[in-house]
Amino acid sequence: MRDKSKLSERQRNILRFMESYIENFGFPPTIREIGEATNIRSTSVVNYNLNKLVQAGHLARLNRKSRGIRLTSQQPQPVRKARQQMRVPLVGQIVASAPLPIPEDMGHYPDPENAIEVSPALIGNTDPAEIFALRVKGDSMIDAMIQDGDIVLFRKQETASDGDMVAVWLEERGETTLKYFYREGERIRLQPAHPTLEPIYVSAAGCRVQGRVMSVIRTL
Amino acid sequence: MRDKSKLSERQRNILRFMESYIENFGFPPTIREIGEATNIRSTSVVNYNLNKLVQAGHLARLNRKSRGIRLTSQQPQPVRKARQQMRVPLVGQIVASAPLPIPEDMGHYPDPENAIEVSPALIGNTDPAEIFALRVKGDSMIDAMIQDGDIVLFRKQETASDGDMVAVWLEERGETTLKYFYREGERIRLQPAHPTLEPIYVSAAGCRVQGRVMSVIRTL
DNA sequence: ATTGTAAACGAACAAAAATTCTATGTCAAA
DNA sequence: TTTGACATAGAATTTTTGTTCGTTTACAAT
C-alpha cells in the first residue's frame, strides 16, 4: 500500500517536494507550486498525480481547500486521534445556590490555564465544543454521589431524555441539583443517584435543564 | 518580545486556535476560519490582529499566499509530551466479598482490550507501571461515594499514610472496603467518605492494605 | 491498422482567500 | 470638547488557487 517503488518518477518527485516545502514553510504547497517545482506545466496533471498519491496512501486531501494536501506519513491521524486528549474548559464551580455558570461560547481552543485534559472516552462521541467542566464546591451534590472537589463534565443542553443525569436549576427552591431525569406525564421525577434517597417531583416549567452529566472525575 | 500577557484576548484566542488547527489539519487556517473560530465577523479585523501578532513576534506571514501564516514558536514537543495519554490495565472488578484481584505483574504492555486511557493528571507523577484499574460491581462501595460501574484507579501498595484512601481487605469480616486511612496508636481508623457515616476501627494485623485510590472515574 | 487506456497539456471557470477601503465606536490625552 | 490612536465592522475588490473539460500523445493489446 505504501510501496514507493510503484510510484512514477513524477509522483516520487512530488512527494519529495512536498516534504521539503512543508519543512521550509510550515504549510503545504499549491498545485501550481508543485507543478513548477517538478516541471509539470499543467495543473491538471499535478492534480492527476496527487490523486494517484492519495490512492497509494501517501497523501490525504481536503477537497476545495487551498493547500489542502497533507502527507499521511507525518500525521498518522487515526492513531494520533485515538490516543489524543481533549482539552475541556474548566469554567467554574457548581454550588447548590446558583445556576451553573455556563459559558455562552466555549470555543475549541480552551485557555490552557483553565482547562483539563480528559480522555475522549469520557465524552463518547459528543462534539468536544459542547463539553465543559465544573468543579464541585461543598457537599451539596452528595445525593448524586458526587463530593467536594470532584470535577463534572457536562454537555451543554436544555433538554433531557429519561435516565440522563442532568444539572437542573429549580426555580422555586432556588437551587441547582444533579439528578436522574424522568418525564412522568405532566411532571418530572428527579431521582437521586443514592439508592436510599427519595425522588423529588417538579413541574416541567419549574425546572431548567442546564446540562447533561457526561462523567465525573475524582482525584485523591 | 514574546510576552503573551501584552496580547489582547482576541490575539490570545487566535494564537490558541492556530495551534490547535495546525495540530489537527497539518496546515494553517485561513483568515476567515480564524474569524469564525474566534467570533470575529470581519476578515479585516482578523488581518489587523494577525499583523499585531507578527509585530509581537508570535507569527510570521507570507503576503498574498493563502494560509501563509506560521507560528514562530515551534516547540510542539513539550506540548505533545504533556498531552500524551496513559494506558492503564483494567484488571477486574471490585466486590465487597473478595480481596482485590491485583495482578502480580502488570507490566507496561496493557492489553488494548482491557485497558483504559487516562490523563496523566489522574495519577500524578506515579510510575504508570504501578497503576491498575478496577470496575466497581454493585453498591457495596457506596460509603466511599463510589457507585456501581465506577472505575477506580489504584496504586499498588501495602502500606498507607494518614489520609490516603485505600482498599483494605478486612480479615475478620471477609470483605474489601474503600476508606480513608488513619493510624491511631495500635489500631487503625477507617473513615468512610460519606460525612454522616461512622468510622470503623481495626487492628493493624486485621487489615491488609491492597492499594491506594488515586482517582475515580464515572461515565454516564 | 484499430482500439483502449494511462498520462499529459492548456485554457476556462469557479471557488476560496487575501487585501483594501470606508465608516463607526471607544477612550485617554490635549 | 476636540482630537487622534486604536480597535472594530462590513463590503468591495483583487489575487490566488482548485477543478473541469476538451484535446493530444504514447503505447500496448486486439
Side-chain angles (χ1 to χ4, degrees):
Chain A
M1 194 50 158
R2 285 286 195 69
D3 193 356
K4 291 205 180 187
S5 63
K6 316 209 76 161
L7 301 178
S8 74
E9 174 77 23
R10 280 185 159 174
Q11 285 155 16
R12 281 195 302 276
N13 283 344
I14 289 176
L15 228 40
R16 258 188 292 124
F17 173 68
M18 283 280 298
E19 285 162 12
S20 77
Y21 189 103
I22 290 175
E23 173 79 11
N24 283 335
F25 295 101
F27 47 83
T30 65
I31 288 183
R32 282 173 177 77
E33 286 169 329
I34 294 172
E36 280 168 39
T38 57
N39 263 314
I40 299 176
R41 252 68 62 94
S42 168
T43 55
S44 64
V45 176
V46 175
N47 189 52
Y48 172 85
N49 284 292
L50 286 177
N51 288 334
K52 289 287 171 189
L53 285 166
V54 171
Q55 282 172 34
H58 290 89
L59 298 179
R61 295 186 76 182
L62 288 174
N63 281 351
R64 310 182 155 272
K65 295 277 174 223
S66 73
R67 302 172 192 271
I69 315 169
R70 180 175 62 196
L71 292 168
T72 50
S73 57
Q74 73 172 14
Q75 304 256 10
Q77 214 61 14
V79 182
R80 261 286 236 37
K81 256 316 193 239
R83 294 203 47 119
Q84 201 158 50
Q85 301 248 58
M86 323 253 53
R87 297 188 80 86
V88 173
L90 184 58
V91 296
Q93 297 184 332
I94 309 178
V95 292
S97 58
L100 257 48
I102 300 180
E104 342 62 53
D105 175 31
M106 297 174 290
H108 3 58
Y109 43 93
D111 180 351
E113 300 302 304
N114 298 313
I116 58 169
E117 302 269 346
V118 304
S119 156
L122 293 189
I123 59 166
N125 40 21
T126 311
D127 178 1
E130 292 180 314
I131 304 288
F132 63 97
L134 295 172
R135 188 182 293 276
V136 174
K137 187 69 182 172
D139 282 332
S140 57
M141 300 301 157
I142 206 159
D143 294 0
M145 299 283 288
I146 290 172
Q147 59 184 210
D148 185 58
D150 286 1
I151 287 176
V152 183
L153 261 52
F154 288 93
R155 173 164 186 242
K156 191 177 182 176
Q157 60 184 53
E158 281 81 39
T159 60
S161 308
D162 283 0
D164 287 352
M165 173 170 269
V166 292
V168 293
W169 171 247
L170 300 174
E171 206 66 66
E172 65 267 38
R173 301 187 185 206
E175 69 177 41
T176 297
T177 183
L178 301 178
K179 296 278 190 303
Y180 287 104
F181 179 98
Y182 294 94
R183 200 179 301 274
E184 296 191 340
E186 288 303 291
R187 63 183 191 172
I188 285 163
R189 172 164 59 93
L190 297 174
Q191 181 80 43
H194 198 104
T196 63
L197 294 173
E198 293 302 311
I200 63 176
Y201 297 90
V202 296
S203 70
C207 84
R208 213 169 79 231
V209 173
Q210 300 199 271
R212 173 172 158 216
V213 177
M214 299 303 289
S215 47
V216 180
I217 301 168
R218 178 179 308 154
T219 311
L220 296 165
Chain B
M1 186 55 154
R2 286 287 193 67
D3 193 356
K4 290 205 181 185
S5 61
K6 316 213 73 160
L7 300 177
S8 73
E9 174 76 23
R10 281 183 158 177
Q11 286 156 14
R12 283 194 299 276
N13 281 344
I14 289 175
L15 227 41
R16 279 206 297 281
F17 174 68
M18 284 280 295
E19 285 163 12
S20 79
Y21 189 102
I22 291 175
E23 169 84 7
N24 281 334
F25 294 101
F27 48 81
T30 65
I31 289 184
R32 274 169 240 286
E33 286 170 329
I34 295 171
E36 281 167 37
T38 57
N39 261 315
I40 298 176
R41 251 68 65 102
S42 169
T43 54
S44 65
V45 176
V46 176
N47 188 52
Y48 172 85
N49 283 292
L50 286 176
N51 288 333
K52 289 287 171 189
L53 285 167
V54 171
Q55 282 172 33
H58 290 91
L59 299 179
R61 296 186 74 182
L62 288 174
N63 282 349
R64 305 174 165 274
K65 297 277 176 219
S66 76
R67 304 174 191 274
I69 316 168
R70 185 174 52 193
L71 292 167
T72 51
S73 59
Q74 259 120 340
Q75 330 90 320
Q77 240 40 43
V79 180
R80 196 65 57 75
K81 260 298 191 265
R83 303 199 49 176
Q84 270 294 348
Q85 298 248 58
M86 325 252 52
R87 294 190 80 85
V88 172
L90 184 57
V91 295
Q93 296 184 333
I94 310 179
V95 293
S97 58
L100 256 49
I102 301 180
E104 341 63 51
D105 175 30
M106 296 177 291
H108 359 63
Y109 44 92
D111 178 356
E113 299 301 304
N114 298 312
I116 57 168
E117 303 266 347
V118 304
S119 157
L122 293 189
I123 59 167
N125 39 20
T126 312
D127 178 2
E130 292 180 311
I131 304 288
F132 62 97
L134 295 171
R135 187 180 295 276
V136 174
K137 186 68 182 175
D139 281 333
S140 56
M141 301 300 155
I142 206 159
D143 294 359
M145 299 280 290
I146 291 173
Q147 60 185 205
D148 185 58
D150 287 1
I151 288 176
V152 182
L153 261 50
F154 290 94
R155 174 163 183 240
K156 189 177 181 177
Q157 60 185 55
E158 282 79 38
T159 60
S161 308
D162 283 1
D164 288 352
M165 173 168 270
V166 292
V168 293
W169 171 248
L170 300 174
E171 205 66 64
E172 65 268 37
R173 303 188 185 205
E175 68 178 42
T176 297
T177 184
L178 300 178
K179 297 278 191 302
Y180 286 105
F181 179 98
Y182 294 94
R183 200 180 302 273
E184 294 190 342
E186 287 304 289
R187 61 183 193 174
I188 286 162
R189 172 163 58 94
L190 297 174
Q191 183 81 41
H194 198 106
T196 63
L197 293 174
E198 294 302 314
I200 63 176
Y201 296 90
V202 295
S203 69
C207 83
R208 214 170 78 232
V209 174
Q210 301 198 271
R212 174 173 158 215
V213 177
M214 300 302 291
S215 49
V216 180
I217 301 167
R218 178 178 309 155
T219 313
L220 296 163

